Amino acid sequence: MTDEEYMRRALELARRGLGHTNPNPIVGAVIVRDGRIIGEGWHEKYGELHAERNAIANCREDMRGATIYVTLEPCCHYGRTPPCTEALIEQGFSRVVVGSMDPNPLVAGKGVSILREHGMEVVTGVLKEECDAANRVFFHYISTKTPYVVLKYAMTADGKIATVTGESQWISNEDSRRRAHAMRGRYAAIMAGVGTVTADDPQLNCRIEGGRDPVRVICDSRLRTPIESKIVKTARDIPTIIATVCGDEERLRPYKDAGCEVILTEEKEGRVNLKELMARLGERKLDSVMIEGGAELAGSAVKEGIINEVTAFIAPKMVGGSTAKTPVGGAGIEKLADALKLSAPEAELIGGDIMIRWEVESLCLPG
C-alpha cells in the first residue's frame, strides 16, 4: 500500500470521532511495519487519549522503526493529555507521515520540528486537501474563536420551505431527515428562531441511535418562547440557551428556573446581535452551530455574514404560492453584486431528494 492509501485509512478512522471530540479536531492514526498495519486508533472523545496514543495502546508489537500515519500534526503541548510527540519518541518510530499541519498556535509546526530533532523522518502534506476538509470546523474555530456556522434547510424544487398555509412536515424524505439528525449530532449546537419554536414546538435533539444532542440555542429577541414548549420543558436534560435582547429579570426568571441559560446581547436592528452571540458561544467552547429553523433567522445570518457553509435538501415537489416561505427571509439583498457567494459544491442523491453542500466563498455587504 502507498502512503496515500494508509492515510486514507487514517481518515476513515478519524471520522468515527465526529460529534464526540468538539472542540478538538477529529484525528486518525495508523501504525505500519513491513507493509502491515499493526495498530490503529482515533481521537474518540474530548478529554480522552489522542489518536496516536490510542493507536499505540492498540498495538501489540514492537513499534521501533515503524511508520505512523496521522491525519493531523502530532501535538507537542500539555493539555488534558500529554504531548503525542513524547509518545512517538518513546516508542522509537522512525517515520511519521502527516496529513494536515495544526493551525493551533501551541503546535503550528512545532510538533513536526520536535520529531525531526529526534531523528525521525517526517513527511507532511499527504492527502492534505482531504485532511484539511475533515477538520474545517476545528480550523475555523481555532483561528477565529467563533463557531463554524452551517445553514441547513429543506425545500421543494420551487424553493419553498412550507406551503401557503404554513404546512412543512414533511418536505424532505425520511432518509434526508435521518441525515439531518446525523448532522445535529456532529455539530456542537443547533440554532433556531423563536418563530420556529412557536409554530412547530420542536425538540431540536438528535434522534438516531448513538447520536449526541447538540446544545440548543433559541434566538428570541423579545422572549416569546412559550414556557410550556418542549424546548423549555426539557432544558434540564439538554443544555438550552435563550439568546435575547430583553434584560427584564422578572421575564427571564421562568426560563432560568426551568434550566435555560440566558445570553443577553446588544440589540441590532431590533434583533439579537448574531456576531456578538457567535463570540459568546465561542467562549463556551461551542465550535460549531447548525442553523435549522426560521427564514427570518436565516436572513439575519446571511446579512450579518456569519455563515460558513450551506446545506440544502431539495425535494422533488412543487407547491407554488407567492406568499409561501422561502429558506432565507428578511429584507433581502438588493444587488446581485452583494449576494452571498457559494463555492465548492458537493451533491448527493438521497432517495428522491438531492442534498447539496456549498462553502461560503465571500460575503460582500453594502457599506
Side-chain angles (χ1 to χ4, degrees), residues 36-359:
R36 294 184 302 112
I37 293 177
I38 61 173
E40 295 184 333
W42 66 96
H43 184 27
E44 298 177 10
K45 188 176 180 181
Y46 176 67
E48 296 184 357
L49 292 179
H50 290 184
E52 298 94 322
R53 288 183 177 272
N54 274 328
I56 289 169
N58 292 331
C59 183
R60 296 293 180 264
E61 298 187 25
D62 186 356
M63 287 166 269
R64 285 177 295 178
T67 297
I68 185 166
Y69 294 80
V70 59
T71 56
L72 184 68
E73 178 183 10
C75 66
C76 55
H77 63 285
Y78 281 88
R80 287 176 173 259
T81 59
C84 289
T85 50
E86 287 187 1
L88 301 187
I89 293 166
E90 289 170 2
Q91 296 300 327
F93 287 97
S94 65
R95 187 167 181 260
V96 181
V97 181
V98 176
S100 297
M101 297 298 284
D102 192 338
N104 186 341
L106 295 174
V107 187
K110 300 182 187 72
V112 164
S113 295
I114 289 171
L115 296 177
R116 285 174 173 158
E117 288 169 4
H118 282 79
M120 296 185 195
E121 176 189 356
V122 181
V123 179
T124 62
V126 175
L127 294 189
K128 180 182 184 302
E129 289 187 6
E130 292 94 326
C131 291
D132 287 353
N135 272 313
R136 58 171 63 93
V137 167
F138 171 72
F139 286 0
H140 173 85
Y141 177 71
I142 202 68
S143 301
T144 67
K145 303 303 181 185
T146 61
Y148 183 90
V149 179
V150 178
L151 173 61
K152 173 265 171 187
Y153 53 83
M155 68 180 186
T156 61
D158 55 340
K160 307 296 184 180
I161 61 172
T163 67
V164 291
T165 63
E167 184 181 350
S168 61
Q169 297 182 349
W170 296 103
I171 286 177
S172 57
N173 64 37
E174 186 175 349
D175 289 339
S176 292
R177 297 197 298 276
R178 190 177 298 110
R179 177 68 64 85
H181 275 276
M183 291 176 65
R184 290 182 181 183
R186 173 179 178 177
Y187 299 112
I190 183 170
M191 181 183 292
V194 65
T196 295
V197 176
T198 56
D200 300 335
D201 194 19
Q203 296 186 68
L204 300 180
N205 58 351
C206 180
R207 295 189 292 276
I208 58 173
E209 186 177 354
R212 176 194 58 82
D213 290 330
V215 175
R216 303 177 300 192
V217 182
I218 308 302
C219 288
D220 184 2
S221 301
R222 305 300 170 191
L223 291 182
R224 296 190 292 118
T225 299
I227 299 300
E228 293 303 312
S229 66
K230 293 175 183 174
I231 291 289
V232 176
K233 290 176 71 174
T234 59
R236 295 196 184 281
D237 301 316
I238 304 174
T240 302
I241 295 171
I242 304 292
T244 184
V245 300
C246 179
D248 185 335
E249 189 59 38
E250 186 174 340
R251 295 185 60 195
L252 291 172
R253 180 55 53 194
Y255 297 101
K256 292 181 178 179
D257 289 345
C260 298
E261 178 185 355
V262 174
I263 293 181
L264 187 66
T265 77
E266 295 292 329
E267 186 171 332
K268 185 164 186 179
E269 298 181 358
R271 300 176 184 273
V272 168
N273 186 318
L274 291 179
K275 285 190 175 179
E276 180 185 349
L277 177 58
M278 291 304 107
R280 303 278 289 279
L281 295 179
E283 291 171 357
R284 287 160 172 75
K285 295 188 176 181
L286 296 175
D287 66 356
S288 50
V289 173
M290 184 169 73
I291 298 176
E292 184 183 342
E296 294 302 309
L297 176 59
S300 295
V302 168
K303 186 174 182 180
E304 292 302 309
I306 66 168
I307 299 171
N308 302 103
E309 178 181 319
V310 176
T311 298
F313 293 85
I314 305 171
K317 303 172 184 176
M318 300 184 75
V319 298
S322 59
T323 60
K325 288 185 176 182
T326 58
V328 181
I333 292 173
E334 295 182 1
K335 298 180 181 180
L336 284 175
D338 299 325
L340 188 73
K341 308 299 193 305
L342 307 179
S343 63
E346 299 175 3
E348 180 181 348
L349 191 64
I350 303 180
D353 296 346
I354 299 173
M355 184 185 78
I356 304 180
R357 176 197 163 274
W358 296 271
E359 294 178 11

